[in-house]
Amino acid sequence: MFITVQHQNSVVVYRKQAAGEDKPLRQIAGGDTHLEDPHGIALDMKNKLIFVSNFGNARVTEPGERGRRAESYGKFEPPSITVYPLDARGNAKPLWTIEGSQTMLNWPSHLVVHEERQELFVANDADDSILVFRTTDKGNVAPIRMIKGPNTGIKNPPGIAVDTKNGEISVASMGTHAVLFFPVTANGDVKPSRIIRGGPADQPALNIGNPGAVGYDSKRDQILVPN
């Protein structure tokens, strides 16, 4: 079981049956890893690789000189996808990185590998898009295709999954409160093949998430929900 830990800039690996206070089998963390606010993780079991998406917020700790405490500060780097061996541990350097202006990465969130097609699908949260790369792509490389535009209904997608049996991807569209389905070959401003939504598309959603309390304004006849 592979988990990204956002604020610690790490990847933690547990036994699938882990419970309680079980310790991780191993961890990927350190300055050489280039893990920078990691959000999504995907495994390519065919080629024994780990893909991690990074927002780009990094913490740097300078080693302290004798008698001085180590200094720590933050910095912003471009969003990226870093790639590691499946058995990577410790302060491991990426095998390669996808990063740069041509990638169009903008808050890359969850990602998934289609092993048969050897393609990497990325839910690109801040760009309202799904980017598709080859699993061998490196550096400042453009996606091989992209799902984006008003017809797609994609808005702030944090999650994505692939159904290899039915040849579909499903996209969690947080901004439209829906799950959208597309063929794995979809490209451009295309309409989803089907949609799951909690209400009519022409009606506003409640936008309730993690409500901590509720109140009633008797004067205005309104229910107040802190979110």
Side-chain angles (χ1 to χ4, degrees):
M1 184 166 56
F2 293 73
I3 301 173
T4 56
V5 186
Q6 176 184 357
H7 297 299
Q8 295 179 6
N9 291 332
S10 65
V11 172
V12 183
V13 185
Y14 294 91
R15 293 184 306 113
K16 190 178 289 186
Q17 299 82 12
E21 295 186 12
D22 286 356
K23 293 182 178 180
L25 298 173
R26 63 183 185 276
Q27 183 174 355
I28 306 172
D32 289 343
T33 67
H34 292 275
L35 290 168
E36 297 161 348
D37 201 354
H39 275 66
I41 189 167
L43 306 182
D44 181 353
M45 299 305 295
K46 181 178 180 180
N47 296 300
K48 308 297 183 186
L49 295 172
I50 305 171
F51 293 81
V52 179
S53 58
N54 302 276
F55 275 17
N57 307 316
R59 180 179 179 180
V60 180
T61 301
E62 299 286 357
E65 298 178 4
R66 189 172 184 178
R68 291 181 56 191
R69 189 174 61 180
E71 294 186 2
S72 181
Y73 58 91
K75 66 175 181 176
F76 295 102
E77 296 289 352
S80 66
I81 296 171
T82 45
V83 186
Y84 310 88
L86 190 64
D87 59 356
R89 64 173 62 235
N91 193 17
K93 293 181 179 180
L95 296 172
W96 69 84
T97 301
I98 301 173
E99 179 181 294
S101 58
Q102 294 189 67
T103 68
M104 304 187 72
L105 293 169
N106 192 349
W107 279 18
S109 296
H110 193 49
L111 39 77
V112 64
V113 171
H114 193 305
E115 289 189 7
E116 183 180 340
R117 297 178 61 88
Q118 283 296 286
E119 291 179 342
L120 180 68
F121 292 78
V122 183
N124 205 29
D125 189 335
D127 189 52
D128 301 332
S129 63
I130 302 299
L131 308 179
V132 187
F133 298 92
R134 299 179 185 88
T135 55
T136 54
D137 281 343
K138 300 176 176 67
N140 188 12
V141 59
I144 57 175
R145 61 182 183 277
M146 175 173 58
I147 306 172
K148 180 179 178 179
N151 286 325
T152 68
I154 297 173
K155 179 69 175 174
N156 298 121
I160 187 170
V162 63
D163 179 351
T164 56
K165 180 179 179 180
N166 296 300
E168 283 186 326
I169 58 169
S170 52
V171 178
S173 179
M174 184 168 61
T176 57
H177 311 281
V179 178
L180 313 173
F181 296 81
F182 300 90
V184 294
T185 55
N187 189 23
D189 186 13
V190 296
K191 292 183 178 181
S193 52
R194 55 196 174 95
I195 301 173
I196 299 174
R197 194 177 190 274
D202 59 348
Q203 297 295 320
L206 295 176
N207 289 320
I208 294 177
N210 196 21
V214 66
Y216 176 63
D217 184 339
S218 57
K219 183 178 180 180
R220 297 176 177 84
D221 194 27
Q222 293 179 341
I223 297 171
L224 310 177
V225 184
N227 220 18

